[in-house]
């Protein structure tokens, strides 16, 4: 009996020792679990922050793209407005303006304005254009008279007539006008036609002046509505500047 009691006491003591030895390890393990949880939470937090940063960056990129697109649209609108203004000023070049009714107005030298009668103009151009010229005054009439009295430089005239005709024919807006005649002599070219859309001819004429072969320094223009044809235009281009504009 005493032997059994001693054995029991020994086992109890051994259990206490073993329990003491394992207790720190268990305590350590208990402490490490929260650290793992905290690390996981931190990782999740970092991922969420990165996601937010990425989302913000994408939003910023989208805003930048929208702003760039709006800027380009505004630039395009400004360019179109400037182009329209330049086109409208074309008909007032060199002090001459012809309204749709064909009433010519000159802003310079009002006492020295040249005129031409309907019958005189009809000797060189169809009646609709003769009527337009007969109600015009000033430099466009001077140019008309000079064109039909100056000698012909056949090489230059043929080259210019071909270049002008080809340019109008192959222009992107060629369908908006009907070119009826191109006549060149030695320093002047006359272009006649019909506009099928407002400012159509002015657009083509403005573009043509940017060509490398362009030699003209002065142009005069007139247009009016003709009941039998439509909106006709008459343009004169000269390589020389008239004395009154020098």
């Amino acid at each position: 009996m005493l032997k059994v009691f001693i054995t029991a006491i020994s086992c109890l003591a051994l259990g206490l020792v073993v329990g003491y030895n394992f207790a720190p390890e268990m305590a350590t393990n208990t402490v490490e679990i929260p650290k793992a949880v905290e690390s996981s939470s931190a990782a999740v937090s970092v991922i969420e922050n990165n996601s937010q940063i990425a989302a913000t960056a994408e939003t910023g990129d989208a805003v930048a793209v929208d702003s760039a697109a709006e800027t380009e649209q505004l630039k395009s609108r400004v360019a179109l407005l400037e182009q329209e203004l330049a086109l409208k000023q074309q008909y007032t070049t060199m002090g001459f303006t012809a309204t749709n009714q064909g009433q010519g107005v000159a802003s310079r030298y009002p006492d020295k304005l040249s005129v031409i009668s309907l019958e005189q103009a009809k000797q060189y151009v169809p009646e609709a254009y003769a009527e337009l010229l007969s109600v015009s005054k000033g430099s466009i009439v001077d140019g008309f008279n000079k064109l039909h009295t100056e000698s012909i430089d056949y090489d230059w005239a043929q080259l210019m007539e071909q270049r002008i005709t080809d340019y109008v024919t192959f222009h992107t807006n060629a369908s908006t006008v009907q070119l009826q005649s191109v006549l060149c002599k030695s320093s002047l070219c006359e272009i006649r036609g019909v506009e099928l859309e407002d400012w159509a001819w002015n657009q083509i004429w403005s573009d043509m002046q940017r060509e490398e072969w362009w030699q003209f320094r002065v142009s005069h223009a007139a247009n009016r509505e003709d009941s039998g044809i439509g909106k006709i235009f008459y343009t004169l281009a000269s390589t020389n500047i008239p004395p009154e504009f020098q």
Side-chain angles (χ1 to χ4, degrees):
M1 184 71 172
L2 180 58
K3 191 182 226 182
V4 173
F5 178 74
I6 291 171
T7 302
I9 291 300
S10 299
C11 291
L12 179 60
L14 181 62
L16 290 172
V17 172
V18 173
Y20 179 79
N21 290 334
F22 278 98
E25 294 179 5
M26 293 177 65
T28 301
N29 291 338
T30 302
V31 172
E32 289 177 354
I33 290 173
K35 287 182 179 179
V37 173
E38 289 177 0
S39 299
S40 299
S41 299
V44 171
S45 178
V46 170
I47 292 172
E48 290 178 348
N49 289 338
N50 289 340
S51 298
Q52 291 176 354
I53 292 172
T56 302
E58 291 178 358
T59 302
D61 291 341
V63 171
V65 171
D66 290 342
S67 298
E70 290 177 358
T71 300
E72 290 302 319
Q73 290 178 354
L74 288 174
K75 288 182 179 179
S76 298
R77 291 175 184 174
V78 171
L80 288 173
L81 289 173
E82 290 177 345
Q83 188 177 57
E84 183 178 352
L85 178 61
L87 293 177
K88 290 182 178 179
Q89 290 176 337
Q90 185 74 24
Y91 278 134
T92 60
T93 301
M94 298 302 170
F96 175 81
T97 299
T99 66
N100 290 341
Q101 288 73 38
Q103 298 299 318
V105 179
S107 61
R108 301 180 65 179
Y109 308 105
D111 297 331
K112 301 179 181 180
L113 299 181
S114 301
V115 296
I116 190 171
S117 69
L118 174 62
E119 294 303 320
Q120 288 174 321
K122 283 173 63 176
Q123 297 178 35
Y124 304 102
V125 295
E127 185 170 357
Y129 297 94
E131 290 178 353
L132 173 59
L133 289 165
S134 69
V135 295
S136 301
K137 299 178 181 180
S139 57
I140 194 168
V141 174
D142 292 333
F144 177 82
N145 289 330
K146 182 179 180 181
L147 172 73
H148 294 288
T149 56
E150 75 175 5
S151 60
I152 302 177
D153 180 339
Y154 290 98
D155 291 337
W156 182 86
Q158 185 177 10
L159 179 62
M160 286 297 107
E161 289 173 0
Q162 190 64 52
R163 283 177 170 173
I164 293 172
T165 301
D166 288 347
Y167 187 86
V168 176
T169 301
F170 296 106
H171 192 275
T172 54
N173 296 332
S175 61
T176 62
V177 300
Q178 290 179 350
L179 192 62
Q180 295 191 344
S181 174
V182 178
L183 174 65
C184 298
K185 289 291 190 70
S186 59
S187 67
L188 286 155
C189 285
E190 172 195 82
I191 304 97
R192 294 186 276 110
V194 180
E195 282 186 316
L196 305 180
E197 295 181 9
D198 289 341
W199 299 102
W201 170 242
N202 239 8
Q203 176 66 67
I204 296 174
W205 184 252
S206 178
D207 292 343
M208 185 159 47
Q209 294 179 48
R210 300 185 180 96
E211 292 298 298
E212 293 182 357
W213 52 265
W214 187 260
Q215 302 177 10
F216 304 102
R217 303 177 66 187
V218 178
S219 63
H220 313 282
N223 69 87
R224 67 177 295 181
E225 290 288 346
D226 184 89
S227 58
I229 300 176
K231 188 175 183 179
I232 62 174
F233 62 84
Y234 180 90
T235 301
L236 277 174
S238 174
T239 59
N240 300 321
I241 299 177
E244 62 267 28
F245 296 113
Q246 293 179 357

